[in-house]
Amino acid sequence: MLTEEEKREILEEAEHYPYPAVACIDALKIVQRHRGWVSDESVKDIAAILGMSDEETDGVATFYSRIYRKPVGRNVILVCDSISCMIMGYKSIYDYLSDKLGIKFGETTTDGRFTLLPISCLGDCDHAPAMMINDDHFNNLTIEKVDELLDNYN
């Protein structure tokens, strides 16, 4: 069940659009900001508020890779696996992260600090390999740079 604050924020956002359903992505992001992820129950609640079917709302939620449909760690690492990043060393970055954190794509460290996920393209092909941690973008990655970056996220 959505909190009163979440409902209020969703309704305020929906006021900016000619049709409430247009605010679906914003509504999903609001819930995720409050909870860290979007549950099936939240999808149904958002659908009801915006006058959409559960299926329509779920379709939007599952289409976008930055809407998390299960709990994630405090920090989400998105490793670009585009062809440019693959050519420029993505595999060694992924392998290093996976070994260092003890997780594979889709998993979260036991302390809840990191979740590791692939992302199809970060649009930084000329500076590959690239990744994001939360909303922070990094490129020209090396193992040493990855170590430095991870130290900055608790």
Side-chain angles (χ1 to χ4, degrees):
M1 179 170 247
L2 298 179
T3 67
E4 290 304 315
E5 183 177 359
E6 289 167 333
K7 290 177 189 175
R8 180 186 53 74
E9 288 180 33
I10 291 168
L11 290 171
E12 284 176 5
E13 193 61 40
E15 289 176 6
H16 298 285
Y17 300 102
Y19 307 100
V22 178
C24 185
I25 295 170
D26 294 315
L28 292 162
K29 288 167 56 177
I30 288 167
V31 171
Q32 183 164 287
R33 183 171 30 87
H34 283 275
R35 300 172 183 216
W37 67 293
V38 181
S39 67
D40 291 342
E41 179 182 282
S42 296
V43 165
K44 291 178 183 180
D45 291 342
I46 291 168
I49 288 173
L50 299 179
M52 300 172 66
S53 73
D54 296 350
E55 293 78 16
E56 288 172 315
T57 308
D58 185 64
V60 173
T62 55
F63 179 79
Y64 292 97
S65 62
R66 299 281 316 269
I67 299 295
Y68 308 125
R69 296 305 312 280
K70 65 180 188 175
V72 294
R74 293 185 306 278
N75 302 288
V76 177
I77 301 172
L78 299 164
V79 181
C80 183
D81 63 1
S82 70
I83 190 68
S84 295
C85 284
M86 282 186 184
I87 291 169
M88 297 303 295
Y90 144 85
K91 181 81 166 104
S92 65
I93 298 299
Y94 168 74
D95 288 343
Y96 181 75
L97 281 165
S98 182
D99 289 344
K100 182 174 179 76
L101 301 175
I103 57 175
K104 298 199 180 314
F105 279 143
E107 297 178 344
T108 300
T109 56
T110 56
D111 63 0
R113 185 174 170 205
F114 292 108
T115 296
L116 186 60
L117 298 171
I119 191 162
S120 60
C121 184
L122 289 174
D124 205 2
C125 299
D126 58 332
H127 297 287
M131 72 178 193
M132 291 181 71
I133 302 177
N134 304 328
D135 292 327
D136 303 322
H137 184 103
F138 305 101
N139 57 27
N140 295 316
L141 295 175
T142 63
I143 300 302
E144 296 77 24
K145 188 171 183 178
V146 168
D147 264 339
E148 291 174 26
L149 295 172
L150 293 179
D151 289 342
N152 295 321
Y153 294 88
N154 295 317

